[in-house]
Amino acid sequence: MRLSLGEKVFQIIVIAFLTCVCICMIYPFLHVLSISLSTSAEALRPGLHWYPYEISFSAWERVFTTDSVWIAFGNTVFRSVVGTFLTLLFMALGAYSLSKKYLPHRNFYTMFIVVTMFFGGGLIPTYLLIKSLGFIDSRWSLIIPGLISTYSMLILRNFFMSLPEELEDSAKIDGASDLRILFTIVLPLSKPILATLALWSAVGHWNAWFDAMLYIQDQSKTVLQILLRRIVITAEGDPLTAVPIEEQAPETLKAAIIMFTALPILVVYPFLQKYFVQGVLVGSLKG
């Protein structure tokens, strides 16, 4: 099909705009990656850094050989994996219950849950609650308070409501219980929305740092984002920053730890991307 002159001009403008957007999004990663792989002198050079002129892996070696980095990395992986699993489990249980029309007072429960999206307890009451529960300096203080996202649970409920009721009716005729229907029929059919919510939850846990700063004092339980914040913003309290500037420019260490923090999410995302658009659209529009 031949395009008119106006359509060709429009496509050129769209392509040029999207190219600029891509460059704006990709350049920060290239800049940080280039700095992390550069020598100290090259890292301190002003101007754009598209790629390292003089390659040096000393900053990455410093990151990989620092125990505090791996301790924080392990704590962050534990938080992301366990937190995401428990979040999906409890949201699925809640969403499946709310999706059933025969649930007594279903509208009241739904409205009660929706209210929590607009009103919160505040920082000090939340801290006192966590303290009274004995979660201070516990890894559970990073998982339990954000166990259920109301917005995500409502999306999951809408997805469950879009599934054919005949599937559950036939399973019940065969004697299946509600839990068996949920885990053997409903959840396997909900892979796109579950993968999408898992990605949201995992990224949220991976990038979270404020709750860890409030509730965690034991350095053996700190997370990677807290370590990154100390190195990049406050530059205190970590062996990485104790390296003399003559041996290692702080910029290369900061860039290396930033890339080390971002890489796991960048690696996981392509495996969930195929479910992402499908899960968001189906879960938010149907029902």
Side-chain angles (χ1 to χ4, degrees):
M1 183 179 67
R2 298 188 60 180
L3 299 177
S4 64
L5 179 61
E7 291 174 335
K8 292 181 180 178
V9 172
F10 177 75
Q11 286 197 355
I12 292 174
I13 294 175
V14 170
I15 292 173
F17 175 75
L18 293 179
T19 302
C20 293
V21 172
C22 290
I23 293 175
C24 293
M25 296 177 65
I26 293 174
Y27 174 70
F29 287 97
L30 293 179
H31 176 81
V32 176
L33 180 62
S34 173
I35 294 294
S36 69
L37 295 174
S38 299
T39 61
S40 298
E42 174 62 21
L44 296 175
R45 178 180 62 81
L48 300 177
H49 292 263
W50 292 98
Y51 59 89
Y53 290 99
E54 299 176 4
I55 296 179
S56 173
F57 295 98
S58 58
W60 284 91
E61 291 176 1
R62 185 71 182 177
V63 170
F64 285 133
T65 56
T66 303
D67 293 339
S68 60
V69 173
W70 289 109
I71 293 173
F73 180 80
N75 292 330
T76 304
V77 170
F78 173 83
R79 172 182 183 167
S80 300
V81 174
V82 176
T84 300
F85 173 76
L86 293 179
T87 293
L88 290 181
L89 176 62
F90 281 86
M91 284 200 307
L93 294 174
Y96 184 68
S97 302
L98 292 176
S99 67
K100 301 295 106 179
K101 296 180 181 178
Y102 53 79
L103 176 68
H105 311 297
R106 185 181 69 151
N107 293 333
F108 170 77
Y109 294 140
T110 303
M111 184 180 300
F112 188 78
I113 293 173
V114 170
V115 168
T116 61
M117 294 177 62
F118 306 101
F119 301 98
L123 179 60
I124 295 177
T126 302
Y127 180 84
L128 295 177
L129 175 63
I130 296 298
K131 184 179 180 181
S132 63
L133 292 174
F135 285 163
I136 295 297
D137 222 13
S138 169
R139 292 184 177 90
W140 296 113
S141 64
L142 310 179
I143 297 175
I144 299 299
L147 193 61
I148 292 179
S149 167
T150 305
Y151 176 74
S152 299
M153 191 174 71
L154 293 178
I155 291 178
L156 189 58
R157 185 203 67 158
N158 290 345
F159 187 89
F160 288 163
M161 292 175 66
S162 69
L163 297 176
E165 296 182 0
E166 291 76 9
L167 289 174
E168 300 183 29
D169 293 338
S170 61
K172 286 186 177 178
I173 292 175
D174 293 336
S177 63
D178 287 331
L179 283 178
R180 184 171 182 180
I181 293 174
L182 173 63
F183 287 103
T184 60
I185 298 178
V186 176
L187 292 185
L189 294 174
S190 308
K191 288 181 180 177
I193 187 66
L194 290 177
T196 303
L197 298 181
L199 180 62
W200 288 355
S201 178
V203 172
H205 278 295
W206 189 269
N207 292 329
W209 62 273
F210 188 65
D211 52 355
M213 187 181 67
L214 289 177
Y215 306 135
I216 301 297
Q217 284 89 40
D218 188 350
Q219 295 303 311
S220 65
K221 300 176 182 176
T222 191
V223 296
L224 200 56
Q225 300 299 333
I226 290 293
L227 184 64
L228 175 63
R229 180 178 180 274
R230 290 173 182 167
I231 296 173
V232 175
I233 298 179
T234 62
E236 63 181 16
D238 191 83
L240 282 174
T241 60
V243 181
I245 191 170
E246 292 80 8
E247 300 178 6
Q248 187 70 63
E251 284 72 13
T252 59
L253 290 174
K254 293 177 181 178
I257 191 67
I258 289 173
M259 290 303 302
F260 181 79
T261 305
L263 278 178
I265 292 298
L266 295 178
V267 171
V268 171
Y269 180 75
F271 296 99
L272 299 177
Q273 184 184 15
K274 61 180 180 181
Y275 298 111
F276 193 74
V277 175
Q278 182 184 359
V280 172
L281 292 179
V282 174
S284 60
L285 296 180
K286 287 189 176 180

